[in-house]
Amino acid sequence: LSMLRQELQKHNSSPITQHDVDDHRILIDNLKKKSSDCTSRIASLESEIKNLSEKMSTLRNFIESGDLSTLKSKLTSQNKLERSISDLKHALDREETLYAQQKKSLKILDEVPCGDEFPTCKFIKDAHDVKKIFLSQEKKVSSVTKSLSEARSSFDSIKDDSINEKINKLEKAIDLLSKVELEISKKETEVVRLKTNCDANTSALVEAQKKLKILEEGQGYIVEDLSSRNGVFLNGVRVQRAPLPSQGILRLGRSSISWAPPELANQIV
């Protein structure tokens, strides 16, 4: 309205020129292009968001079906069994070494001619001491061997050579999901910003294409109502299209504008 008011105040002294009209058309064309570019960019972003959302859904399904916590728990059990097997192997080696030493000591009783008759002999005494624990050691070797066999059997039942690969894939998927969610958030924020800008641009375009047009006609102007909601009133009379007198009052909805030749000009009603 301020622009319209200024033009009306110049009525009969400085009419709108063709250059003014051309400039206004350029303004409208620029606003239309901005609106088109803005709309296209929003459509492009929304399409990207849709694709990213589908990717996000696929990643979530993959992660849920992979059950990372279960795989990690299984890997922990697998590693624990491997350590247990290693410990049992070392234990068996120790027990078997001790068993072999004890067995060697017992051979002394078979080699000496006096047999059991001279218990005070150092070698025979040691052999007798070993004989007392030999059977116990034999049972210990057998027990450790059995435990090692059971551990190996348990390990074979849960062993999964691809478990580390599965965990790595799931962890990468989780990392990628986080990045996709962040990208969607950024694009959604940009869409909100663009829509705000588009709304402002649309308002500017509507303002530039006002249903009320003041057109240059010869040395004067005409006012034309292009289906406005509240109508256009010139000096209190509703008009569809009418020439502007040298002075008067123009009412558009709740706003009124007055104008007059420079020597009689005054302000808005």
Side-chain angles (χ1 to χ4, degrees):
L1 288 177
S2 61
M3 292 177 61
L4 178 59
R5 186 182 307 121
Q6 291 172 11
E7 291 301 327
L8 288 173
Q9 291 299 332
K10 293 188 291 183
H11 183 49
N12 280 343
S13 62
S14 179
I16 294 175
T17 65
Q18 185 60 44
H19 179 71
D20 294 328
V21 174
D22 291 341
D23 283 347
H24 196 67
R25 285 174 179 166
I26 292 172
L27 171 64
I28 290 174
D29 289 342
N30 288 337
L31 289 171
K32 284 181 178 178
K33 186 177 185 307
K34 285 184 180 179
S35 292
S36 177
D37 291 346
C38 190
T39 301
S40 296
R41 179 56 181 158
I42 289 174
S44 176
L45 282 170
E46 288 178 338
S47 177
E48 291 173 16
I49 290 171
K50 180 181 178 182
N51 292 335
L52 286 171
S53 296
E54 291 173 355
K55 186 175 183 179
M56 180 177 66
S57 178
T58 300
L59 285 169
R60 282 178 174 169
N61 290 336
F62 173 71
I63 292 168
E64 288 174 4
S65 64
D67 196 352
L68 183 60
S69 60
T70 298
L71 285 175
K72 285 187 173 182
S73 176
K74 186 176 180 180
L75 179 61
T76 299
S77 298
Q78 188 170 300
N79 291 337
K80 185 177 180 181
L81 266 176
E82 281 186 307
R83 289 192 297 271
S84 178
I85 288 171
S86 178
D87 291 342
L88 284 169
K89 282 181 180 178
H90 288 104
L92 182 59
D93 288 342
R94 289 193 303 271
E95 300 303 336
E96 285 181 335
T97 298
L98 181 58
Y99 178 74
Q101 292 172 349
Q102 291 174 351
K103 194 171 184 179
K104 185 177 180 179
S105 296
L106 287 176
K107 283 184 178 181
I108 295 176
L109 294 177
D110 296 331
E111 293 173 358
V112 295
C114 51
D116 296 342
E117 296 179 13
F118 298 96
T120 58
C121 172
K122 179 182 183 304
F123 295 105
I124 295 174
K125 183 177 183 300
D126 289 344
H128 277 292
D129 290 340
V130 168
K131 188 176 182 180
K132 294 176 182 178
I133 61 174
F134 180 73
L135 291 177
S136 174
Q137 183 63 26
E138 190 174 46
K139 289 180 180 179
K140 188 178 290 186
V141 169
S142 176
S143 175
V144 175
T145 300
K146 182 181 179 182
S147 296
L148 178 59
S149 176
E150 290 174 349
R152 282 173 171 164
S153 178
S154 297
F155 179 76
D156 290 339
S157 68
I158 68 168
K159 184 180 179 181
D160 184 352
D161 293 329
S162 64
I163 192 167
N164 283 310
E165 182 182 355
K166 291 176 182 177
I167 289 173
N168 287 336
K169 284 183 178 180
L170 282 169
E171 287 178 337
K172 286 180 180 178
I174 291 171
D175 181 59
L176 181 57
L177 175 62
S178 177
K179 291 178 180 177
V180 169
E181 289 174 336
L182 179 60
E183 188 65 19
I184 288 175
S185 177
K186 287 180 178 178
K187 290 185 183 297
E188 287 177 338
T189 300
E190 187 176 357
V191 166
V192 172
R193 180 183 63 79
L194 282 172
K195 284 184 176 180
T196 300
N197 291 345
C198 282
D199 288 344
N201 190 73
T202 299
S203 296
L205 181 58
V206 170
E207 184 71 18
Q209 295 175 314
K210 277 187 177 297
K211 292 181 177 180
L212 173 68
K213 290 182 178 179
I214 301 297
L215 305 175
E216 181 180 7
E217 191 176 81
Q219 295 300 311
Y221 299 89
I222 64 168
V223 62
E224 182 179 1
D225 179 7
L226 300 183
S227 303
S228 62
R229 179 181 297 179
N230 298 316
V232 176
F233 293 81
L234 178 59
N235 291 329
V237 179
R238 183 166 184 167
V239 296
Q240 182 64 35
R241 180 183 173 89
L244 292 179
S246 59
Q247 67 182 76
I249 299 175
L250 186 64
R251 181 160 62 85
L252 301 81
R254 296 181 179 178
S255 300
S256 298
I257 300 173
S258 64
W259 71 98
E263 63 273 15
L264 301 175
N266 219 325
Q267 302 301 314
I268 303 173
V269 175

